[in-house]
Amino acid sequence: MVPEEFDSNVRPYSQEWYATLRSTLGGTACHQLGLYAIPDDFVLSVVIPIYNEERTLRVLIDRVRAVPIKKELVLVEDCSKDGTREILKQLEREAADNPDPMNEIRVSYHEVNQGKGAAVRTGFSLAKGDAIIIQDADLEYNPSEYSRLLRPIIQGVADVVYGSRFLGDQEHRVLYFWHSIGNKVLTLVSNGFTNLNLTDMETCYKVFTREALADIWGTLKQNRFGIEPELTAKIARRKLRVFEMSISYHGRTYQEGKHIGMKDGFQALWCILRYWWKD
C-alpha cells in the first residue's frame, strides 16, 4: 500500500522517500521489502566491460540509467569488431550535450582486444564512486537489482556483495545443464580453497566498497574470465565481510552472443589454485 501523503516526485531511496514509507509500513516491513535510504551524496560506479555488444548496448545503458541511484557509468570498450565503438562515441556526444546529474558517463577505449578481466581492471582504475559494481554489457543481468545488492553495504555490514544466480528465489532462464554443473563445480573448488561458502563464485555481479577494492584492484592480473576466481581469492585472503543476495538471470545462448567457453573453465581452475597459493 502506498501512503496517501506519498509524493511521487520524491526520488526513490532518498531520506524523504524512506521516512514516508517507514512511517506507514513500519521498520520491519521495510526491511522485509528491501526498502531503505541511500545517502544523498552516495555515488555508485558501474564498471561495464564491453566487447561486440552493439545489439544490446543501448538497451543496457538505458536500464542502468533508469536505476534511481546517483551513478557514474565507466564504459570500457575492448576493441570491438562490430559497431559498438560508434555507439559509444554517440553516447559520449549525447552525454556532453545533455548532462545528467544522476548518470555521469565516462568511456575508455582499448586499442587491442585484451579480455573481460583487462577491461574490468581498466574500469576499476577509473572508478571514483563510494561503491563499485561490475555490469556485463549484455542483458543477462538486471540493473534494477542494484538497490538490493547495495543494501548490506549501505547498512555497513558488508565490504563485498555477490549477486547469486543460484539462491533460488528469483527467475532464471533455463539453458545449458553442463554450464550450470561447471559453475557449481568451480564454486565448490573455490570455496574449498578460500573457505568461503559462496553459491555463485562466477557471477558477474560483485559489489565492492571503495575501501575494500582499493587494496585489490592494483594486484589483479587476469585478462579474461579468470578475473572471477582471482577476485574471490583476494577477497578471501583479506578476510573481507562477504554477503550474497539472490538475483535473476536471463542467460543467453552462444547464437545470441555468449562469449565464455570450456577453455575459460579450465583457466578458472588454474586461477583458483594460483591465487590460493600466492596473491
Side-chain angles (χ1 to χ4, degrees), residues 58 65 87 89-99:
R58 275 278 185 179
R65 283 170 162 166
I87 294 172
K89 294 288 187 183
Q90 180 64 32
L91 283 168
E92 284 187 288
R93 290 191 291 269
E94 293 171 3
D97 292 340
N98 297 287

Side-chain angles (χ1 to χ4, degrees), residues 128-146:
K128 299 178 180 178
D130 301 287
I132 299 92
I133 186 170
I134 304 169
Q135 169 72 60
D136 283 346
D138 52 39
L139 304 178
E140 293 188 328
Y141 294 83
N142 191 340
S144 68
E145 296 174 336
Y146 289 173

Side-chain angles (χ1 to χ4, degrees), residues 10-22:
V10 173
R11 179 168 60 85
Y13 298 98
S14 66
Q15 297 288 344
E16 183 181 356
W17 175 88
Y18 177 65
T20 302
L21 290 175
R22 184 182 173 90

Side-chain angles (χ1 to χ4, degrees), residues 27-82:
T28 300
C30 285
H31 176 77
Q32 293 297 322
L33 293 170
L35 306 174
Y36 65 101
I38 296 177
D40 291 339
D41 60 350
F42 179 88
V43 177
L44 174 66
S45 293
V46 184
V47 172
I48 309 179
I50 304 166
Y51 179 67
N52 288 349
E53 300 291 1
E54 66 175 351
R55 292 191 304 167
T56 59
L57 182 57
R58 275 278 185 179
V59 176
L60 184 276
I61 296 299
D62 287 344
R63 290 182 182 180
V64 174
R65 283 170 162 166
V67 176
I69 300 169
K70 190 173 182 180
K71 302 174 295 297
E72 61 165 7
L73 283 66
V74 183
L75 311 173
V76 184
E77 203 287 300
D78 194 29
C79 197
S80 297
K81 296 180 175 64
D82 60 4

